[in-house]
Amino acid sequence: MTEHTISKSQYIKGLQCGKALWLYRHRKDLAPEITPEKQALFDTGHEIGELAMRYFGEGVEVTSEYWDVIGAVEATEQYIKAGHDTIFEATAVHPVNGCYSRIDILKRVEGSDEWDLIEVKSSTQVKDYHIDDMSFQYHVFYGAGYRIRKCFMMVINNEYVRNGEIDPQQLFRLEEISGHVFAKQGEVDAVAGQLGYILERKAEPEMSIGARCFKPFECDYKPYCWAHAPKYSVYDVFQKPRAEEIAKRYGLDIEGLPDHIRPGGAKGLDVESYLNGETIVDRANIAAFLGKIRYPLYFLDYETMMPAIPIFDGTRPFQQIPFQFSVHVQHSPGAELEHHEYLHKERTDPRQSFAERLIELCGSEGTVLVYNQAFEIARNNELARDLPEYAVAIQAINARVLDLLVPFKSRWLYHPNQNSSASIKAVLPAFTDLSYDDLEIGHGGEAMRQYGAFMSGDLNESLWPDLWNDLTEYCKQDTYAMAVLLDVLRKKINSESATNS
Ligand code: SF4
């Protein structure tokens, strides 16, 4: 048997960039650590794989270790000889280039010697790189002598609503992609050959950084290849393909941009602020924004979880489930902030208790200030849809929402250190001494991951008190930061030294 060389995931990595594949194989010292977030993704993928097996009912699974490719190929062939029609993790090796593939499901076309290839993905739509993934698998299985009839992606049906036990027949949907896969075979053949050649070389390939470093994923080796790049570069102010063209011509530095290349709109203001080192303050617009605020003032922020497989009845795959909010209340201008929160500490559907506490704590008048209103308003609309008894009260809260992101996103206030980001994590340290660096949970994704582990029963009970503490500190920080940023806006319009844009 030909020595096996490139796996499916390595092919996808190499398709993005040959150097990334070379580094993966030759520079183990640069291997990125498996973060808790990545581990959570693997775990979700595993859970979805198990449900996909239940979709097909009867079948046999190749269980060889991931490194035992030959063992997996032999087990697959034995299952076929024994007459099995559905083989999970079936494995083949291309006899010429040694590429190898483990397909999620190899399914015999009833009463024939033809097979269908089915790959399971934990997304709701077929993406371009899924086509590349399947094209590689087809290349391997076809090359290994299998007669393949059709290729399918098995993705999550986002219209499925859980009602009792998960129903795999409803949770998944099959999408045929055979035509795309057949059309890509010339490309797979050529790329597999090129990657084999790159891997044989002793020297690290010379590949310049560019748009490829971001698509389809941000490359694991970006810290290595981009070590020389400035923190704020042309890639922060232009779309990636355009930034690549500009960087080739004028370099990565913003300072090297000729006037006629500079972007317009908000990014143009960012560049100007960065180059002259001056804060932008648009007093008139800030004053108009502040004029909309009514007291008592509520600074509000939500944390949500988004399970791929719905946990609660009446919810869909990837539905955002709010489980925590923080609210700082200020009864009059300059008054002390009063903090309240809701954090759901039981492994049950949090939405009803969340909605009740929200309505109770947000009162009936005054502005509800959020940072990026699209998020909180959408969650409120979903709560109103799913809990109609609270719809009127929740819509009344939505009607009072004012978005603190607007002055920063609109560049009515912009600091040269923001690096073209209006995220609260960029704005807060630019204008104050506060930052998120000292918190155990430093961003919403981490809060979501840890809470998901609690909800699924994977977090040891002894760790729950720490989790409650960390979640409280994190969410509280967000609403406190909003109060601080509101003060910053007020002070800026009164500051004599500010630059009026
Ligand atoms: S960071 Fe960019 S250049 Fe470096 S390996 Fe990744 S894709 Fe290739």
Side-chain angles (χ1 to χ4, degrees):
M1 187 177 287
T2 310
E3 192 189 343
H4 48 276
T5 53
I6 299 171
S7 70
K8 175 191 73 175
S9 59
Q10 290 175 31
Y11 174 80
I12 295 295
K13 197 181 282 290
L15 194 59
Q16 179 172 359
C17 175
K19 182 176 174 182
L21 177 60
W22 190 94
L23 292 171
Y24 175 78
R25 292 276 288 268
H26 295 280
R27 290 290 308 271
K28 300 287 180 201
D29 58 310
L30 296 177
E33 60 171 316
I34 301 199
T35 58
E37 287 90 338
K38 274 192 187 163
Q39 188 59 50
L41 278 180
F42 292 148
D43 294 345
T44 300
H46 187 68
E47 212 182 330
I48 284 172
E50 306 238 303
L51 283 165
M53 284 185 178
R54 276 175 45 202
Y55 177 99
F56 288 97
E58 298 206 343
V60 286
E61 184 181 6
V62 173
T63 54
S64 314
E65 294 291 342
Y66 75 94
W67 45 262
D68 185 11
V69 177
I70 304 302
V73 170
E74 287 170 357
T76 304
E77 290 171 353
Q78 280 164 14
Y79 281 145
I80 290 172
K81 270 196 200 126
H84 289 285
D85 294 335
T86 305
I87 304 170
F88 304 114
E89 303 291 329
T91 306
V93 174
H94 193 286
V96 176
N97 58 25
C99 290
Y100 63 101
S101 151
R102 264 179 202 230
I103 189 81
D104 287 331
I105 299 125
L106 180 67
K107 185 151 181 51
R108 189 193 297 275
V109 179
E110 208 175 330
S112 82
D113 63 349
E114 286 188 309
W115 298 86
D116 287 340
L117 296 176
I118 304 159
E119 187 72 8
V120 184
K121 296 291 173 199
S122 51
S123 68
T124 56
Q125 284 182 332
V126 175
K127 299 179 178 158
D128 286 350
Y129 74 89
H130 294 159
I131 308 266
D132 291 318
D133 174 320
M134 180 61 91
S135 300
F136 177 81
Q137 312 228 53
Y138 178 91
H139 167 81
V140 172
F141 274 84
Y142 181 80
Y146 286 82
R147 295 188 60 212
I148 305 298
R149 184 189 64 155
K150 290 181 177 175
C151 302
F152 296 92
M153 297 310 299
M154 191 169 175
V155 290
I156 301 211
N157 167 21
N158 59 3
E159 288 178 9
Y160 169 62
V161 179
R162 181 169 185 160
N163 182 13
E165 280 299 298
I166 290 285
D167 178 356
Q169 299 296 326
Q170 301 295 322
L171 176 66
F172 294 108
R173 67 180 178 86
L174 286 173
E175 189 167 325
E176 193 195 337
I177 55 167
S178 312
H180 299 290
V181 167
F182 299 156
K184 282 223 169 213
Q185 288 312 300
E187 178 188 327
V188 180
D189 208 26
V191 172
Q194 285 162 12
L195 294 179
Y197 171 71
I198 287 174
L199 283 175
E200 277 170 19
R201 288 164 49 181
K202 292 257 179 313
E204 183 178 309
E206 279 182 25
M207 301 235 182
S208 53
I209 59 173
R212 75 163 76 82
C213 306
F214 302 89
K215 204 173 163 195
F217 311 105
E218 184 163 312
C219 179
D220 288 338
Y221 299 101
K222 200 160 161 273
Y224 172 69
C225 298
W226 285 67
H228 64 290
K231 196 168 168 235
Y232 186 49
S233 79
V234 295
Y235 280 88
D236 295 299
V237 293
F238 294 102
Q239 299 283 332
K240 303 295 186 268
R242 174 90 176 119
E244 182 175 324
E245 279 171 30
I246 289 170
K248 272 186 193 142
R249 226 158 147 200
Y250 305 106
L252 289 164
D253 292 329
I254 299 288
E255 287 84 347
L257 275 180
D259 288 350
H260 70 280
I261 298 291
R262 285 204 199 167
K267 293 289 167 77
L269 295 173
D270 300 350
V271 166
E272 200 180 313
S273 166
Y274 173 79
L275 290 175
N276 64 25
E278 286 181 10
T279 297
I280 298 168
V281 186
D282 180 340
R283 286 191 180 83
N285 272 315
I286 294 174
F289 176 84
L290 294 175
K292 293 180 187 167
I293 290 176
R294 299 284 174 272
Y295 283 82
L297 179 54
Y298 297 83
F299 300 90
L300 181 66
D301 183 66
Y302 294 173
E303 298 305 328
T304 61
M305 59 190 298
M306 202 174 67
I309 302 163
I311 301 176
F312 309 114
D313 280 354
T315 62
R316 296 159 201 264
F318 297 106
Q319 181 172 334
Q320 301 251 19
I321 311 283
F323 62 85
Q324 180 187 19
F325 68 82
S326 166
V327 59
H328 273 95
V329 187
Q330 194 174 41
H331 291 279
S332 56
E336 288 264 309
L337 291 171
E338 193 182 286
H339 182 249
H340 304 280
E341 72 161 352
Y342 177 74
L343 174 56
H344 193 73
K345 297 181 182 174
E346 289 166 26
R347 289 177 49 211
T348 55
D349 190 340
R351 291 175 297 165
Q352 175 154 353
S353 314
F354 180 100
E356 283 170 0
R357 285 293 280 158
L358 181 74
I359 293 163
E360 185 187 326
L361 287 171
C362 284
S364 57
E365 54 187 32
T367 299
V368 176
L369 205 60
V370 299
Y371 205 90
N372 188 14
Q373 67 174 23
F375 183 76
E376 271 77 14
I377 284 184
R379 301 297 78 77
N380 284 351
N381 285 337
E382 287 155 8
L383 285 172
R385 177 196 67 196
D386 296 339
L387 303 167
E389 65 272 38
Y390 301 111
V392 171
I394 288 173
Q395 293 299 1
I397 292 174
N398 266 357
R400 293 158 51 205
V401 164
L402 184 66
D403 195 351
L404 184 58
L405 172 64
V406 169
F408 298 98
K409 192 174 155 196
S410 309
R411 301 329 192 226
W412 299 338
L413 182 62
Y414 180 85
H415 191 284
N417 291 351
Q418 278 177 239
N419 291 351
S420 282
S421 170
S423 136
I424 200 163
K425 276 132 192 118
V427 174
L428 188 68
F431 287 103
T432 72
D433 294 336
L434 297 169
S435 85
Y436 285 74
D437 294 347
D438 300 332
L439 297 176
E440 282 298 317
I441 294 177
H443 58 85
E446 177 65 358
M448 198 187 290
R449 187 196 70 75
Q450 290 198 24
Y451 192 78
F454 155 73
M455 221 10 126
S456 59
D458 292 338
L459 191 72
N460 191 298
E461 201 168 336
S462 64
L463 299 173
W464 293 2
D466 284 348
L467 176 59
W468 307 147
N469 189 48
D470 294 346
L471 283 168
T472 294
E473 287 305 312
Y474 172 69
C475 200
K476 190 174 166 184
Q477 169 92 340
D478 269 340
T479 48
Y480 179 68
M482 281 193 260
V484 171
L485 288 177
L486 188 65
D487 270 351
V488 168
L489 286 175
R490 286 196 168 117
K491 283 180 185 143
K492 283 293 170 189
I493 58 168
N494 296 322
S495 157
E496 287 299 312
S497 58
T499 303
N500 210 340
S501 67

